[in-house]
Amino acid sequence: MQEWANQLCENRQFGSKMTDSKYFTTTKKGEIFELKAELNSDKKEKKKEAVKKVIASMTVGKDVSALFPDVVNCMQTDNLELKKLVYLYLMNYAKSQPDMAIMAVNTFVKDCEDPNPLIRALAVRTMGCIRVDKITEYLCEPLRKCLKDEDPYVRKTAAVCVAKLHDINAQLVEDQGFLDTLKDLISDSNPMVVANAVAALSEIAESHPNSNLLDLNPQTINKLLTALNECTEWGQIFILDCLANYTPRDDRESQSICERVTPRLSHANSAVVLSAVKVLMKFMEMLPKDLDYYGTLLKKLAPPLVTLLSAEPELQYVALRNINLIVQRRPEILKHEMKVFFVKYNDPIYVKLEKLDIMIRLASQANIAQVLAELKEYATEVDVDFVRKAVRAIGRCAIKVEQSAERCVSTLLDLIQTKVNYVVQEAIVVIKDIFRKYPNKYESVIATLCENLDSLDEPEARAAMIWIVGEYAERIDNADELLESFLEGFHDESTQVQLQLLTAIVKLFLKKPTETQELVQQVLSLATQDSDNPDLRDRGYIYWRLLSTDPVAAKEVVLAEKPLISEETDLIEPTLLEELICHIGTLASVYHKPPSAFVEGSRGVQHKRLPGSAGSGESVESPDPGSAAGVAEAPPAVIPSQGDLLGDLLNLDLTPPTTTGPPPAPSSGMQLGAMDLLGGGLDSLMGDESEPLGGDLGGGTAMGAGFGAAPAAMPASFGAPVSGGLDDLFDLGGGVGMPMGAYSPPKTVWLPAMKAKGLEISGTFARRAGVIQMEMTLTNKAMSVMTDFAIQFNRNSFGLAPAGPLQILTPLSPNQSIEASLPLSTVGPVMKMEPLTNLQVAVKNNIDVFYFSCQYPISMLFVEDGKMERQVFLATWKDIPNDNESQFQIKDCHLSSDAVSNKLQGSNVFTIAKRTVEGQDMLYQSMKLTNGIWVLAELRVQTGNPNYTVSLKCRAPEVSQCVFQSYEAMLKN
C-alpha cells in the first residue's frame, strides 16, 4: 500500500489537468467489460484514462485481476506516467497471476536499458517488488547493470532492490555476488547511493546477525561521515544507525566521530536528532570524564532534547520515553532543565505521566522545593490518574532526597486533610514507604492516618494502613480494635489485605500477648481452616507452628529488622538500560523493552550493549568480526557480556501445559545469548508440535529444558521414590560409572520448604562418564500431593541447561522424598553471572513455580580431553601474560604428590610433568573447561609441609578463583 501511495503521489508531478477524484466515483455496472475495451483502444489518452480507472478500482479494493493481460499490453509505451501506473498494477497482481506476469519480463529487461534514467530505475524497482520466483531469475542481469549504472538515481534504487531480492531469495543474491557490489557502493561518490547501500546492508545484516556484511573500519566510517552531511534526512538516519553499531578503537577516534555527528543535533527532523543522540550517548562511554570535550558534549545534548518537547503531543511522548532512558544513564545532561518537564494544562494524560516520571528522576536537593510546589499543585487537578501519580511522586521524592523528607511528609498530611478519597489512599500508601525508609522519624503522623481508616476502600491502601498498625502496634493504644474492625469482613477482603492482616495481628500478639490471644486465634483459624487461598493458608500454618513451638524464634522471624527500601525501585536494570540506549529512536526505546521481547519472526535479534568506559580496563570489541582484521586470533573468551535480563526467571509465564510429550532435544547449533530464555512463555518450551511462540527468535531451536510434563517412560537409572532420611540426603556412593576419586560435593538444601510451600529440594552436582548430572532429593513437607514437576535454568556463565525434562513420574505424597538425576548440557544461553558459577533455577509443580540459586563446582566442567602435550603446555604457559597468573595457598592438606596427582586426575585435572627441586615436588597440570578455555597449573607439594601453593594461568583470569576453590575441595574431601 505504501508503494502505491508513493507512486500515486509521484504521478501528480506529471501534471494531470483535472482532479483524479473522478476515477473513484464511478458506479457503473458491467464496468470490467468497458474497461477492457478502453484498455485496447488505439487512442493513447483513452488508454491512459482506462488504466487510471483500473488503479482507482484496485485502490478501493475491487478485484480487477481479470484485466491483467490487457493492462500488461499497455506497458509498451513511452509515456512515463502510464508506465508507472501499469507497474503499480503489476506489483499488486503478479503474485496471484505469476504465469501472466512472465509476459512482462521482456519489457522490464528492455526498460532497464532505456536512455531515460527514471525509466531504468522504475523498471528495477518494480521487478524487486514483484515477489515471484520465476521473475526473480530474470532480474539478476538487469540488476547487475543498474548497480553499475552511470546515473546515481538508478544506482540508489538498485541498492534497495538487492535487499528486496535477498528477502525473496538470499542464496541467489550471494551466488550472483550482489553483496560485494553493494559493499563497493559504500565508497560511491553520491551520498544518497551510500545511504541506500548502508540501508540495504543493514537490512540484510539484521536477518543474518553473524554475517560480516558491514565491515566497519576507520576508512569506511570516514566515508559514511562524509556522506552524512549531504544526503537526505532518511539517508542520514540510516548512516547514523550504522555508525551506532561501530565501536571506536580509542577515545581519540570516539571524540572525532562525536565532533562530526554533533551538527546533526540541530536538524529539523526529530528522527535524525534521536539517531544522533544515540550515537553520541554510545561514544561518550569511551570519553574520559575529565576531558573538556566531555563537558562540552553534555551541554550540547540538552538543547535538542528540550526542542523535541515543543513538537506535537505524539512526538513529545516518543521524545519523553527516550529522555527517560537518557536521564537514567546520564542525569547530568538535563539537570538544569527541570522547568521544561513541568506539566502544561493542555498536555494529554500520557505526556503528563511521562513528564512526572522524569521530574522525579531529575529531583535533587537543589531543585526539590520547586518540584514539591509543582507536585502539590498537580495533586489538586481533576484528572484522577494524574493526581494519584502526583501523590506517589511526592513520596518518591521523600525517599530519593533525604533532606526533603520532612517537607514531603508535611505536604502529604496537607493533602490528607483535603479528605479527597483517592488522594488520602495514595498518601497512606506512600507514607508507609517513607516509614520503611526513615524508621523512628515520622511516626508522629500515625494518629492522623488512623483518623482516615473508615474512608479506605482500595486494597493497596487498606493493606498499607494495616501494615502501619501492625508495625507500630506498641504506639497505638487501640491497635487491637482497629485490626479487629478489619477482621469482621475478612473473607470479603482481597488476598493482599488478608495476608497483611494475618501478619499484622501476629505482630500485635508478639508485642501484646496477654491482650490479643483471642484475636490471633481467630485470624489463624480464618486463614487456615476457612480460606481456599494456598498462600494465605501456608502463611497461617507457618505462624501457627512458630507460635506453638518456639515463640522466641517467632519473635525473631516476624519482628526482624527490615532492610531499608532503595531510593529508586523503578529504575531499569543496568544491562537492559545499556541495550535500550543502543536502541534510542526505535520502538524499543518507547516500549522500554529489548527488540527480542516484541519482534517475532525468523530474523535473529542481536543484543547490543554500550562499550566499556574509558580507563575501566574493560576490553572493547567491535560487534563486527571484521573490525579485528589483522589482529591475532583471540583465545576463547570465558563468557559473553551480560545481555538483557528480561528473560530472567522472575518473568516466568505460568501458561498451563498444552501437551504431555517431551520437549525437542536441544540443538547443538543454537546461537548462545541470542534467545530470550523464558520471555516466550512456557508454551514455547513445552514441546508443542505447532511452532512455538517466537521459537525462531534467536536463530536456534527452543531449549529442551521446558516445563513439559514428564514423558511416560523413564530410564530406571533415574531412581524410584525412596523414603526420606539423612542416609539418602548424603548418599554419594550411588553414582553408577563415577570414576574412582571423582569429586562430588555433599548435598545441601537449595530450596527450604518454608520458601516453597512445603517443597524442599537438596542437591549436588556430579560428573559421570562425561555427563554433568544434577542430583536432587525432593521432599514434600506440605499436606497435599505434588505432581507435574518441571525445571528450567536461567542463562548462566557456562550455558548449563537441562538435557531433558525432570523425570518424576509418580506423585510426591506428603512426608515422602524422591531422588532425581537430571543430565545437563552446556549448549544453553550464556550470560555472565556473579559469582561465576551461580545457577538460577525455576522448579514448577502443580502448586506453583519456585525459584532458587545454587552454585556448581567448576570441576564439573573439566572435560575428559583436558590433557595437554608437554611442548604445547610449555609454549602456552609462556604465551599467557604474567598478569593473568594467580597464586593461592591450600592449607592443612596431608597428601603426597602422587596421591594428589591421582586424586585430581579422577576429576579431569591431568598432570603433564613432575619435577623435584630442593625437596619440593612441582606438578604441572592442565584442565579444559566445556567452553574450550584451558587452565594451566603449577602445584608445589613439600614433604612434611601441609600447606601447598598452586599457581594458575589462564587467558580468562576470572575463572582462576573458582578453579582454586575446586582444587581445595577436591584435595580436602
Side-chain angles (χ1 to χ4, degrees):
M1 189 63 81
Q2 185 66 45
E3 290 278 352
W4 302 351
N6 291 344
Q7 294 271 27
L8 285 170
C9 291
E10 281 185 35
N11 286 339
R12 293 189 178 282
Q13 58 197 356
F14 293 99
S16 298
K17 289 180 182 173
M18 293 184 288
T19 174
D20 289 341
S21 60
K22 61 176 183 171
Y23 300 113
F24 293 90
T25 55
T26 177
T27 55
K28 288 181 190 171
K29 292 184 178 175
E31 195 177 5
I32 297 287
F33 182 76
E34 287 180 23
L35 286 171
K36 200 178 186 77
E38 288 177 24
L39 287 167
N40 292 307
S41 168
D42 295 333
K43 294 180 181 175
K44 285 186 178 178
E45 269 311 306
K46 203 165 186 181
K47 198 180 272 192
K48 188 161 89 173
E49 292 294 302
V51 173
K52 284 188 176 182
K53 287 177 186 173
V54 171
I55 296 296
S57 299
M58 181 178 86
T59 307
V60 295
K62 290 181 186 173
D63 182 11
V64 283
S65 57
L67 298 169
F68 199 95
D70 307 286
V71 176
V72 170
N73 285 337
C74 299
M75 280 178 79
Q76 306 291 343
T77 176
D78 297 329
N79 186 310
L80 186 56
E81 185 181 7
L82 179 55
K83 198 177 277 286
K84 279 192 169 190
L85 291 167
V86 174
Y87 279 176
L88 197 56
Y89 177 89
L90 265 173
M91 275 191 252
N92 192 40
Y93 283 118
K95 198 157 190 178
S96 59
Q97 309 254 4
D99 295 328
M100 297 291 283
I102 293 289
M103 292 164 51
V105 165
N106 285 337
T107 313
F108 280 132
V109 174
K110 189 176 159 193
D111 282 355
C112 284
E113 296 179 358
D114 194 277
N116 185 341
L118 288 174
I119 289 181
R120 295 202 298 276
L122 179 64
V124 80
R125 175 166 67 186
T126 308
M127 285 179 84
C129 292
I130 295 175
R131 302 177 67 84
V132 175
D133 288 337
K134 291 179 183 175
I135 288 187
T136 307
E137 297 164 20
Y138 297 100
L139 175 60
C140 295
E141 219 38 58
L143 179 58
R144 186 173 283 106
K145 288 179 184 173
C146 289
L147 281 167
K148 296 183 177 172
D149 197 281
E150 59 188 22
D151 192 282
Y153 181 75
V154 180
R155 294 201 301 277
K156 87 176 181 71
T157 309
V160 175
C161 188
V162 173
K164 289 181 178 176
L165 184 60
H166 188 275
D167 202 34
I168 301 166
N169 189 338
Q171 194 58 49
L172 181 71
V173 170
E174 288 167 27
D175 295 345
Q176 294 286 338
F178 288 142
L179 293 178
D180 294 326
T181 315
L182 206 52
K183 288 179 189 174
D184 294 341
L185 288 182
I186 289 182
S187 306
D188 198 277
S189 57
N190 185 287
M192 269 319 297
V193 177
V194 175
N196 278 20
V198 167
L201 284 169
S202 300
E203 181 80 13
I204 294 167
E206 270 183 30
S207 55
H208 291 70
N210 294 331
S211 61
N212 181 22
L213 289 176
L214 275 165
D215 184 9
L216 296 177
N217 53 46
Q219 291 74 31
T220 313
I221 293 296
N222 195 37
K223 289 170 188 168
L224 294 182
L225 287 165
T226 306
L228 186 63
N229 297 322
E230 300 170 44
C231 57
T232 65
E233 52 195 24
W234 294 110
Q236 290 181 32
I237 292 166
F238 289 132
I239 290 174
L240 286 167
D241 286 349
C242 180
L243 287 173
N245 291 329
Y246 176 65
T247 305
R249 293 165 304 176
D250 52 33
D251 57 349
R252 189 175 298 171
E253 187 186 2
S254 187
Q255 182 176 339
S256 166
I257 295 171
C258 287
E259 284 168 352
R260 294 176 72 178
V261 168
T262 306
R264 300 301 110 212
L265 293 173
S266 54
H267 202 283
N269 186 318
S270 52
V272 176
V273 174
L274 283 175
S275 292
V277 168
K278 169 168 60 181
V279 175
L280 296 173
M281 284 292 291
K282 184 172 180 183
F283 290 178
M284 274 173 79
E285 296 290 329
M286 293 189 65
L287 297 176
K289 292 194 176 181
D290 54 356
L291 197 70
D292 290 342
Y293 180 71
Y294 180 85
T296 310
L297 195 53
L298 285 178
K299 286 175 189 167
K300 283 184 179 175
L301 276 168
L305 293 172
V306 169
T307 306
L308 289 176
L309 298 182
S310 56
E312 51 267 36
E314 293 79 8
L315 273 178
Q316 276 189 55
Y317 178 72
V318 172
L320 286 164
R321 292 293 281 174
N322 281 278
I323 287 169
N324 200 325
L325 297 174
I326 293 165
V327 164
Q328 288 186 53
R329 183 76 190 174
R330 298 204 177 279
E332 62 270 28
I333 292 175
L334 289 161
K335 66 180 178 184
H336 300 305
E337 305 292 343
M338 176 63 87
K339 284 190 176 176
V340 180
F341 300 103
F342 285 176
V343 171
K344 296 175 186 164
Y345 75 95
N346 58 347
D347 280 339
I349 183 66
Y350 53 88
V351 171
K352 284 181 175 178
L353 296 178
E354 208 55 42
K355 280 185 173 179
L356 208 51
D357 208 30
I358 295 169
M359 278 170 66
I360 299 158
R361 297 205 191 288
L362 291 174
S364 65
Q365 199 176 342
N367 58 25
I368 192 70
Q370 207 178 12
V371 172
L372 275 178
E374 272 297 302
L375 293 175
K376 193 172 181 184
E377 193 72 29
Y378 301 160
T380 59
E381 293 269 343
V382 289
D383 190 313
V384 175
D385 286 339
F386 181 52
V387 171
R388 285 176 181 277
K389 185 98 176 188
V391 176
R392 293 249 167 156
I394 294 170
R396 281 173 62 187
C397 286
I399 289 164
K400 186 178 180 188
V401 185
E402 187 170 349
Q403 294 79 0
S404 73
E406 197 163 335
R407 190 181 295 176
C408 291
V409 171
S410 165
T411 306
L412 289 168
L413 287 175
D414 290 346
L415 292 171
I416 288 173
Q417 296 307 329
T418 62
K419 300 294 182 188
V420 178
N421 187 276
Y422 53 86
V423 175
V424 172
Q425 307 211 54
E426 287 296 328
I428 285 174
V429 171
V430 296
I431 285 174
K432 179 203 79 171
D433 290 338
I434 293 171
F435 285 169
R436 284 287 308 275
K437 177 71 177 172
Y438 309 110
N440 305 318
K441 213 167 181 186
Y442 301 109
E443 282 77 6
S444 56
V445 306
I446 291 174
T448 313
L449 302 183
C450 292
E451 290 168 14
N452 295 279
L453 213 58
D454 298 335
S455 63
L456 307 181
D457 52 18
E458 290 172 17
E460 198 177 0
R462 289 173 76 81
M465 193 65 229
I466 290 167
W467 181 87
I468 291 169
V469 173
E471 189 67 17
Y472 301 103
E474 69 277 11
R475 302 181 186 208
I476 304 170
D477 295 334
N478 61 337
D480 52 342
E481 291 171 22
L482 296 176
L483 292 176
E484 200 168 356
S485 66
F486 283 105
L487 206 57
E488 289 165 9
F490 186 78
H491 291 303
D492 301 326
E493 300 283 5
S494 69
T495 306
Q496 183 184 8
V497 176
Q498 288 177 335
L499 287 165
Q500 203 59 264
L501 190 54
L502 171 60
T503 303
I505 291 175
V506 171
K507 283 180 185 175
L508 176 65
F509 171 71
L510 290 168
K511 290 173 181 179
K512 302 178 180 179
T514 51
E515 304 158 37
T516 53
Q517 197 159 352
E518 199 175 311
L519 188 63
V520 80
Q521 283 180 340
Q522 190 183 347
V523 77
L524 288 173
S525 172
L526 285 168
T528 55
Q529 292 167 25
D530 303 348
S531 172
D532 296 331
N533 185 305
D535 286 341
L536 185 63
R537 221 171 37 235
D538 284 358
R539 190 181 290 191
Y541 278 126
I542 287 167
Y543 285 151
W544 201 319
R545 285 173 187 164
L546 266 174
L547 294 170
S548 58
T549 54
D550 192 347
V552 176
K555 207 163 190 172
E556 285 175 8
V557 171
V558 181
L559 301 180
E561 198 172 318
K562 287 154 198 69
L564 300 181
I565 57 174
S566 64
E567 289 181 12
E568 292 278 1
T569 50
D570 61 337
L571 281 179
I572 293 174
E573 197 278 327
T575 47
L576 173 58
L577 181 61
E578 279 193 14
E579 185 170 358
L580 293 178
I581 292 286
C582 295
H583 289 292
I584 282 176
T586 68
L587 266 181
S589 66
V590 178
Y591 288 159
H592 286 188
K593 290 180 180 179
S596 56
F598 59 88
V599 176
E600 290 180 21
S602 58
R603 289 165 185 254
V605 178
Q606 275 184 303
H607 291 299
K608 300 181 181 180
R609 70 184 293 257
L610 296 174
S613 54
S616 67
E618 190 177 329
S619 64
V620 177
E621 293 176 38
S622 171
D624 278 291
S627 63
V631 181
E633 188 183 340
V638 58
I639 299 123
S641 301
Q642 201 155 325
D644 74 278
L645 283 175
L646 274 199
D648 207 326
L649 289 167
L650 298 175
N651 269 0
L652 204 59
D653 180 0
L654 299 180
T655 315
T658 55
T659 174
T660 55
S667 158
S668 59
M670 184 174 185
Q671 290 176 322
L672 302 186
M675 182 178 152
D676 195 357
L677 179 62
L678 299 176
L682 298 179
D683 285 347
S684 63
L685 301 169
M686 295 290 294
D688 195 342
E689 287 178 9
S690 61
E691 187 170 330
L693 176 71
D696 286 330
L697 200 60
T701 50
M703 189 168 74
F707 281 105
M714 179 180 86
S717 63
F718 283 177
V722 293
S723 60
L726 284 177
D727 291 338
D728 299 323
L729 265 175
F730 297 103
D731 179 16
L732 300 176
V736 181
M738 187 193 286
M740 183 60 71
Y743 170 66
S744 175
K747 282 185 180 175
T748 53
V749 176
W750 287 338
L751 181 66
M754 188 180 287
K755 288 187 179 178
K757 300 182 181 174
L759 173 64
E760 182 178 279
I761 299 178
S762 53
T764 185
F765 293 87
R767 188 177 182 94
R768 298 194 185 122
V771 178
I772 304 168
Q773 302 279 356
M774 187 178 189
E775 309 280 3
M776 289 178 285
T777 302
L778 288 81
T779 305
N780 182 355
K781 295 189 175 180
M783 302 296 174
S784 53
V785 174
M786 295 181 181
T787 57
D788 305 331
F789 284 91
I791 193 165
Q792 188 153 8
F793 297 172
N794 197 5
R795 309 163 191 219
N796 53 79
S797 304
F798 294 94
L800 282 183
L806 182 59
Q807 306 264 13
I808 297 176
L809 299 182
T810 54
L812 186 58
S813 305
N815 297 317
Q816 187 187 11
S817 293
I818 202 166
E819 299 287 333
S821 183
L822 181 70
L824 307 182
S825 72
T826 53
V827 294
V830 177
M831 179 177 78
K832 187 172 182 178
M833 301 297 288
E834 192 58 50
L836 208 58
T837 55
N838 192 30
L839 183 64
Q840 295 176 342
V841 184
V843 170
K844 170 185 170 285
N845 62 16
N846 59 320
I847 296 171
D848 205 344
V849 180
F850 309 105
Y851 309 99
F852 64 86
S853 289
C854 57
Q855 288 186 40
Y856 48 92
I858 204 167
S859 57
M860 294 301 124
L861 307 174
F862 296 165
V863 294
E864 283 64 23
D865 61 344
K867 187 164 186 175
M868 226 180 222
E869 295 295 326
R870 286 190 180 203
Q871 295 305 316
V872 177
F873 182 95
L874 193 62
T876 309
W877 185 277
K878 288 178 181 175
D879 189 44
I880 296 173
N882 288 334
D883 291 347
N884 285 21
E885 184 173 349
S886 306
Q887 199 171 79
F888 304 95
Q889 289 285 325
I890 300 174
K891 297 183 177 179
D892 300 323
C893 202
H894 302 274
L895 295 171
S896 67
S897 57
D898 290 340
V900 165
S901 183
N902 290 337
K903 194 161 195 176
L904 292 176
Q905 186 155 339
S907 295
N908 296 335
V909 178
F910 299 96
T911 301
I912 311 299
K914 173 186 171 184
R915 65 192 181 104
T916 305
V917 180
E918 297 174 1
Q920 192 176 46
D921 290 338
M922 319 272 269
L923 301 179
Y924 296 95
Q925 298 172 321
S926 72
M927 61 224 85
K928 181 182 170 188
L929 299 177
T930 50
N931 59 355
I933 291 174
W934 285 90
V935 183
L936 310 186
E938 179 193 71
L939 183 65
R940 299 177 192 178
V941 180
Q942 189 155 17
T943 311
N945 185 353
N947 299 338
Y948 303 164
T949 303
V950 62
S951 300
L952 299 172
K953 257 194 173 188
C954 178
R955 294 194 194 277
E958 305 99 307
V959 304
S960 297
Q961 180 67 35
C962 299
V963 172
F964 158 65
Q965 288 165 357
S966 276
Y967 254 82
E968 199 168 37
M970 289 184 287
L971 292 176
K972 288 188 176 183
N973 290 284

